[in-house]
Amino acid sequence: MTSFVAYVANAYRTDFDRFAAAQEPSLDALHALLDYMLVETLTATLQTQRLFPQLWAMGLVEPALQEVLDELYESYLTSIEACLVAEGVVEPRGDALAILSMLEGLTLFVDPGRRWEPHAQATVAAIRALINARYGSSSPQPSRSVPQ
């Protein structure tokens, strides 16, 4: 199982590294990261909206699996932190964890098939509004929509 999770994490890391390399840390990049996490290119292939909650649960009893997941999330946190530092945040870890928690929580609450799926767009808009309220407004940008 750990080797499977390592394979999934490596696929994500490769895809994410490609995405992150094209971004200059900024508030706009933070919103682009939100878009990336909402509509990952691997979601359709790996059905991650179903896979990741199971991996989180298994990680609670399998430390090696948890370590692989933590390494993947560390790369997300590092990118979020870089964006926050570019916006003047001095101690970005707490804010980055809060943002990542909100994004990952979408899987549990508004992904396809969940009770609150009809509220997905409004939930994402609320997250964006919270980010803009805390760090300033982002310039208008095209945004990928939440999968319906």
Side-chain angles (χ1 to χ4, degrees), residues 22-63:
Q23 303 296 317
E24 188 67 33
S26 66
L27 187 58
D28 287 337
L30 183 57
H31 282 284
L33 176 62
L34 183 117
D35 290 339
Y36 170 85
M37 293 184 75
L38 290 173
V39 188
E40 304 148 347
T41 57
L42 298 174
T43 298
T45 306
L46 298 173
Q47 295 190 12
T48 55
Q49 73 274 15
R50 298 191 193 287
L51 175 63
F52 266 83
Q54 293 175 31
L55 295 178
W56 299 330
M58 289 188 291
L60 294 174
V61 295
E62 180 54 53

Side-chain angles (χ1 to χ4, degrees), residues 12-147:
Y12 262 90
R13 197 170 296 111
T14 300
D15 191 62
F16 182 73
D17 288 349
R18 227 183 339 257
F19 162 80
Q23 303 296 317
E24 188 67 33
S26 66
L27 187 58
D28 287 337
L30 183 57
H31 282 284
L33 176 62
L34 183 117
D35 290 339
Y36 170 85
M37 293 184 75
L38 290 173
V39 188
E40 304 148 347
T41 57
L42 298 174
T43 298
T45 306
L46 298 173
Q47 295 190 12
T48 55
Q49 73 274 15
R50 298 191 193 287
L51 175 63
F52 266 83
Q54 293 175 31
L55 295 178
W56 299 330
M58 289 188 291
L60 294 174
V61 295
E62 180 54 53
L65 195 139
Q66 186 63 54
E67 182 62 29
V68 171
L69 290 172
D70 286 350
E71 288 174 16
L72 176 63
Y73 285 120
E74 186 64 36
S75 62
Y76 291 158
L77 283 169
T78 299
S79 290
I80 294 170
E81 287 174 331
C83 294
L84 296 176
V85 167
E87 295 301 318
V89 177
V90 178
E91 295 289 334
R93 183 51 56 123
D95 286 28
L97 284 166
I99 291 167
L100 184 59
S101 296
M102 285 188 290
L103 295 177
E104 287 298 290
L106 292 171
T107 299
L108 297 173
F109 295 104
V110 298
D111 261 7
R114 299 295 301 156
R115 173 184 281 189
W116 303 282
E117 177 185 359
H119 306 286
Q121 295 289 347
T123 304
V124 171
I127 292 171
R128 287 189 191 285
L130 289 168
I131 289 170
N132 286 338
R134 185 155 173 97
Y135 310 110
S137 291
S138 174
S139 60
Q141 64 177 30
S143 174
R144 294 186 267 180
S145 63
V146 176

